[in-house]
Amino acid sequence: MPAIVIPCRLDVAALDQVPTDQATNQVATVQLPTAPTQHTLPNGIKIIAEQVPVDAVNLSIWVDVGSAVESNDINGMAHFLEHMVFKGSDRLGLGEFEKAIESHGGNTNAATSQDYTHFYINVAPKDFAKLAPLQLDIVLKASIPDEEFQRERHVVLEEIRRSEDNPDRRIYRHISELVYEQLPYRRAVLGPVDVISEVTSEQMRSFHRQWYAPQNITISVVGNLPVTEMIGVIADYFEGDPISDKPTPCTHKPELPFKSIVRREVTDTSLKQARLSMTWRVPGLVELAETYPLSILANILGSGRTSRMVQDLRENRRIVDRISVSNSAMRWQGTFQVFAKLNVEDVAIVEQAIREHILQLHETPVTDEELAKIRVQVSNRFIFGNESPKERAGIYGYYDRIVGSLEPALNYPDLIKSITKEDIQAAVRKYLNPDAYGILIVKP
């Protein structure tokens, strides 16, 4: 199963594909439905359920555990455990879960990030009552058999080696190690070979018992069944389960902004062109409201052919082959990043050009036209990107478990439309110092 970063990012790419009324640039007439039903079982598990008129049901299990909770000596355990969950439970043997899902035309997958682990199934409504308990069983009552543990260790080790052979993954690792000096986000979700080679099945069982506790889990279920029926199926599975204690929360302090330009250069002979990354430390999801102006700004600067840096550096001056800007928020820290693919002789010119763009924003706000266009596109894409049961269940589980509240998800378009150009300029002045950032230069 793949290890990925947060899927429900607050920045939005490919904005040119978002449908809007070209004459008025207004938000398209697609509305979010009323708030889903929220229900907490006696054992502490949170259920979020919603009926939608799509002939499918998605059941998503969000566990508040990722690589950020790991110590160095078990780095990669959360991802390894994600693999082992599919090896069966006390009542489901190896392969029986996948066979049951696939024989009914459904599908299943999972993902691990720094902040969460996520499992899901997509099934027909008529099969939900039969298949949902199977997913709950393998996730919450994983058997982690010793023999399969050793077999799967080799699979995970090969995944780590493939990751290390991937130039983009190597660049991401260099950026993470530059930006994060103390936070565990500097480490790979997959973990290093030497650690995964030594961890034991008993360590994994202990890790599972600690973090896969009911009060550390949100279950989101969206599909074409009555809400009471979907909740009832899940509640029946847990009937009689005792109340559990929530694991001791893992907390981290965000790192302070860069005080100067911290420069790092590496050589990667597999590349044909250089890469440049300029990154600022910015607020994470624990300061969610602070991320909105930066998310809009990232799109104004570097998302789509008409964005500022794309127009200036690629289309007009032709000193980059590719440039993008993103504002990515993990729980404890965010990063505002400008990333470019360019010729090595142009690195200094491009760095200075990016600094000048940031400095200009300190002095002059974005225009009303830019703000109107981007905030409409961002809010529309958020709506259109969450129409299927899988997408809706994903965002409900993510916001409840990782952000801590559904309210920002339900009100996202209005929150984005409320951001002013003064808000954006204030965020630039507070977080984006043109004379203090981390810069990685990867030379071929």
Side-chain angles (χ1 to χ4, degrees), residues 175-183 185-186 253-262 264 278-284 287 290 294 326-329 332-338 427-428 430-433 436-439:
I175 294 171
S176 298
E177 292 172 353
L178 169 63
V179 173
Y180 301 113
E181 296 178 4
Q182 301 296 330
L183 281 171
Y185 298 141
R186 67 181 277 108
K253 291 183 178 180
E255 298 188 20
L256 296 175
F258 288 103
K259 299 298 183 183
S260 61
I261 299 174
V262 178
R264 184 169 300 171
M278 294 170 62
T279 307
W280 288 261
R281 296 173 183 144
V282 298
E287 300 178 85
E290 295 287 290
L294 294 169
S326 63
N327 184 66
S328 300
W332 307 110
Q333 186 95 64
T335 56
F336 190 93
Q337 182 183 101
V338 183
V428 171
K430 186 174 183 179
Y431 298 115
L432 305 184
N433 185 340
Y437 49 84
I439 179 168

Side-chain angles (χ1 to χ4, degrees), residues 73-304:
D73 61 342
I74 59 167
N75 178 207
M77 180 68 82
H79 169 256
F80 191 175
L81 174 55
E82 175 217 308
H83 281 241
M84 287 302 301
V85 158
F86 289 87
K87 301 304 177 181
S89 65
D90 292 341
R91 67 169 181 166
L92 288 169
L94 179 65
E96 290 182 5
F97 170 69
E98 290 95 329
K99 182 179 179 180
I101 299 296
E102 292 171 4
S103 67
H104 288 81
N107 60 72
T108 182
N109 211 331
T112 305
S113 84
Q114 291 93 339
D115 290 324
Y116 64 80
T117 306
H118 170 216
F119 302 86
Y120 71 83
I121 56 172
N122 292 307
V123 298
K126 64 183 178 63
D127 299 322
F128 177 73
K130 178 180 180 179
L131 298 178
L134 304 186
Q135 187 195 29
L136 295 169
D137 210 60
I138 65 161
V139 172
L140 295 161
K141 299 178 181 178
S143 55
I144 313 176
D146 289 334
E147 190 172 328
E148 288 305 317
F149 180 87
Q150 298 302 333
R151 287 197 185 100
E152 199 64 23
R153 189 202 304 271
H154 294 297
V155 174
V156 174
L157 289 172
E158 181 58 29
E159 187 176 348
I160 295 170
R161 294 185 180 102
R162 289 200 310 269
S163 174
E164 292 172 348
D165 288 340
N166 184 307
D168 291 335
R169 291 287 189 99
R170 290 197 296 269
I171 292 170
Y172 179 79
R173 186 180 73 245
H174 289 311
I175 294 171
S176 298
E177 292 172 353
L178 169 63
V179 173
Y180 301 113
E181 296 178 4
Q182 301 296 330
L183 281 171
Y185 298 141
R186 67 181 277 108
R187 302 180 314 204
V189 172
L190 302 181
V193 166
D194 59 343
V195 170
I196 296 302
S197 297
E198 297 296 327
V199 295
T200 67
S201 56
E202 186 51 46
Q203 283 179 303
M204 181 175 287
R205 294 186 195 103
S206 175
F207 188 86
H208 183 270
R209 287 192 298 269
Q210 177 182 1
W211 292 105
Y212 280 58
Q215 295 200 41
N216 214 38
I217 290 171
T218 294
I219 297 175
S220 51
V221 54
V222 177
N224 200 9
L225 287 173
V227 165
T228 54
E229 182 176 339
M230 293 188 289
I231 292 177
V233 168
I234 299 168
D236 287 347
Y237 177 84
F238 293 105
E239 182 69 31
D241 275 13
I243 297 173
S244 70
D245 294 328
K246 181 177 175 62
T248 302
C250 178
T251 60
H252 297 284
K253 291 183 178 180
E255 298 188 20
L256 296 175
F258 288 103
K259 299 298 183 183
S260 61
I261 299 174
V262 178
R263 190 177 303 275
R264 184 169 300 171
E265 293 190 7
V266 298
T267 300
D268 190 328
T269 56
S270 71
L271 300 178
K272 295 182 179 180
Q273 282 187 295
R275 305 292 193 273
L276 178 148
S277 168
M278 294 170 62
T279 307
W280 288 261
R281 296 173 183 144
V282 298
L285 296 174
V286 292
E287 300 178 85
L288 185 62
E290 295 287 290
T291 69
Y292 296 139
L294 294 169
S295 295
I296 293 176
L297 177 62
N299 287 288
I300 290 173
L301 289 178
S303 292

Side-chain angles (χ1 to χ4, degrees), residues 345-363:
E345 60 267 22
D346 293 326
V347 164
I349 299 171
V350 171
E351 179 185 356
Q352 182 58 29
I354 293 169
R355 293 180 64 215
E356 288 170 357
H357 273 278
I358 300 300
L359 183 59
Q360 180 184 359
L361 290 163
H362 278 254
E363 298 170 350

Side-chain angles (χ1 to χ4, degrees), residues 406-423:
L406 280 187
E407 185 177 353
L410 300 173
N411 299 325
Y412 185 84
D414 289 336
L415 290 169
I416 289 297
K417 286 186 286 183
S418 72
I419 301 300
T420 67
K421 60 185 181 182
E422 289 77 20
D423 294 331

